[in-house]
């Protein structure tokens, strides 16, 4: 169970796609609901903020999304050069920093997506999990995982 934390995972995916869920809750016998940093082959989805079993795509790669208390959304592009595609079949470092209402995603040390969520639907804490996507056969390899709690 985690609330505020830094999570860094070295991961590669052969086949479909995957992701690392956090602040998530079990809602089916083998499925979590909550935010995740995606390991996806499409450039706009790699390391985006996706809410599995909930609101779906929140902040695609290269974007910052702010959701206010009433659910109104403001989307702005992140500063810097355009995001490049990443071959998810190679090792990459995925990093999530979640503190309070803000979740920042990084891929190989570069910020890819930011979510500032003040809505009632915001995930405040929960489980961490590695997604095995349904569909075609997929192999997900993790060679290191580091968790640093920020909430004491």
């Amino acid at each position: 169970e985690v609330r505020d934390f830094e999570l860094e995972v070295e991961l590669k995916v052969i086949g479909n796609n995957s992701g690392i869920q956090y602040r998530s809750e079990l809602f089916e016998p083998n499925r979590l609901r909550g935010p995740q940093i995606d390991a996806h082959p499409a450039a706009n989805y790699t390391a985006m903020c996706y809410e599995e079993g909930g609101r779906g795509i929140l902040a695609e790669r290269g974007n910052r999304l702010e959701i206010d208390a009433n659910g109104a959304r403001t989307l702005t592009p992140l500063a810097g050069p355009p995001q490049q595609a990443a071959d998810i079949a190679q090792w990459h470092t995925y990093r999530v920093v979640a503190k309070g209402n803000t979740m920042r995603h990084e891929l190989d040390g570069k910020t890819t997506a930011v979510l500032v969520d003040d809505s009632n639907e915001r995930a405040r804490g929960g489980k961490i999990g590695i997604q095995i996507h349904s569909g075609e056969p997929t192999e997900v390899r993790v060679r290191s995982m580091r968790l640093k709690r920020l909430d004491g």
Side-chain angles (χ1 to χ4, degrees):
E1 298 286 321
V2 294
R3 288 183 65 82
D4 292 345
F5 62 90
E6 294 176 8
L7 175 67
E8 192 171 277
V9 179
E10 287 185 65
L11 178 104
K12 73 176 178 177
V13 180
I14 301 161
N16 199 341
N17 69 78
S18 180
I20 303 151
Q21 289 191 240
Y22 57 91
R23 290 183 172 178
S24 294
E25 62 183 26
L26 192 64
F27 81 105
E28 290 178 3
N30 295 305
R31 191 171 175 204
L32 293 174
R33 174 184 304 148
Q36 77 178 27
I37 182 171
D38 264 33
H40 196 288
N44 58 321
Y45 293 163
T46 305
M48 74 170 168
C49 186
Y50 180 83
E51 190 175 83
E52 175 66 30
R55 298 175 286 178
I57 295 172
L58 294 173
E60 287 187 14
R61 189 170 178 196
N63 289 295
R64 173 187 173 96
L65 176 66
E66 295 183 33
I67 306 174
D68 72 16
N70 296 318
R73 296 178 178 210
T74 303
L75 186 68
T76 56
L78 293 174
Q83 305 278 339
Q84 299 296 314
D87 179 359
I88 65 169
Q90 302 300 314
W91 290 107
H92 292 282
T93 301
Y94 296 82
R95 185 168 185 257
V96 175
V97 178
K99 188 146 179 74
N101 67 343
T102 303
M103 288 147 275
R104 186 177 77 241
H105 291 184
E106 298 176 7
L107 180 68
D108 299 328
K110 296 181 180 160
T111 300
T112 56
V114 176
L115 173 65
V116 179
D117 191 353
D118 287 316
S119 73
N120 290 333
E121 297 177 78
R122 176 176 96 221
R124 289 170 170 75
K127 301 179 184 315
I128 293 174
I130 305 292
Q131 179 196 41
I132 304 294
H133 204 285
S134 63
E136 70 180 82
T138 301
E139 181 179 320
V140 179
R141 294 185 183 183
V142 175
R143 72 176 174 193
S144 79
M145 183 180 287
R146 183 183 65 84
L147 173 67
K148 178 181 178 183
R149 292 180 183 275
L150 302 175
D151 51 7

